[in-house]
Amino acid sequence: TMLGNDFLESYGGYFAENHVNVIVPQHDRTTSRHLLGLCAWLNSRLANFAFGMINVSSHLSKFDLSLIPVPISLLTELSDLAQQLTDDLTEEQRKETLGRIDDRVFGFFGLSSEESQRVRQAVPSAG
């Protein structure tokens, strides 16, 4: 997740579980749009399907994260949808937006409808 300034202004701080990976941009060209897109990609069904194939634990290490491709063009494509998830959505709108993120990810990697359906069956919706 991304913590916005409004969260920090409202609460002043937070506690994080000790198995949290913090992602810090290495280039000045990385924008908040890329970070929003990264959140969408890491929470997509396909990324979680891939993580499940390489790691039986629910914890992801830096090494695990490095095995999954993160194309900048995908992050840019997902950022607007991810931004919508920060709005006050109904449960139905949230599920629809998460489904659209999954559809974009499946399309980006060229999954067939059968492959997409297999991922949908194997990984429950985040909504």
Side-chain angles (χ1 to χ4, degrees):
T1 187
M2 284 184 61
L3 296 177
N5 289 335
D6 57 332
F7 180 91
L8 295 174
E9 289 170 5
S10 295
Y11 299 101
Y14 58 93
F15 291 98
E17 203 267 336
N18 66 344
H19 291 285
V20 173
N21 289 301
V22 176
I23 298 172
V24 179
Q26 294 184 356
H27 303 288
D28 291 337
R29 297 182 326 214
T30 303
T31 67
S32 60
R33 286 179 50 88
H34 293 128
L35 295 176
L36 279 169
L38 181 62
C39 286
W41 165 227
L42 291 177
N43 286 286
S44 72
R45 284 177 162 178
L46 184 57
N48 281 277
F49 182 84
F51 289 140
M53 299 299 280
I54 63 171
N55 187 345
V56 296
S57 168
S58 62
H59 303 289
L60 293 173
S61 68
K62 179 180 175 184
F63 176 76
D64 296 330
L65 286 170
S66 72
L67 296 176
I68 304 297
V70 185
I72 290 291
S73 58
L74 174 62
L75 303 186
T76 301
E77 192 173 320
L78 295 177
S79 64
D80 289 338
L81 287 171
Q83 179 66 51
Q84 290 176 21
L85 291 172
T86 66
D87 297 337
D88 189 23
L89 301 176
T90 65
E91 187 64 27
E92 189 61 35
Q93 290 170 319
R94 180 177 167 70
K95 286 181 181 181
E96 180 183 323
T97 302
L98 290 169
R100 289 173 46 211
I101 288 171
D102 286 327
D103 290 343
R104 290 253 181 105
V105 170
F106 296 153
F108 184 89
F109 286 103
L111 270 66
S112 68
S113 59
E114 292 83 14
E115 292 166 330
S116 300
Q117 187 59 32
R118 170 68 179 109
V119 172
R120 282 189 176 93
Q121 289 172 344
V123 180
S125 173

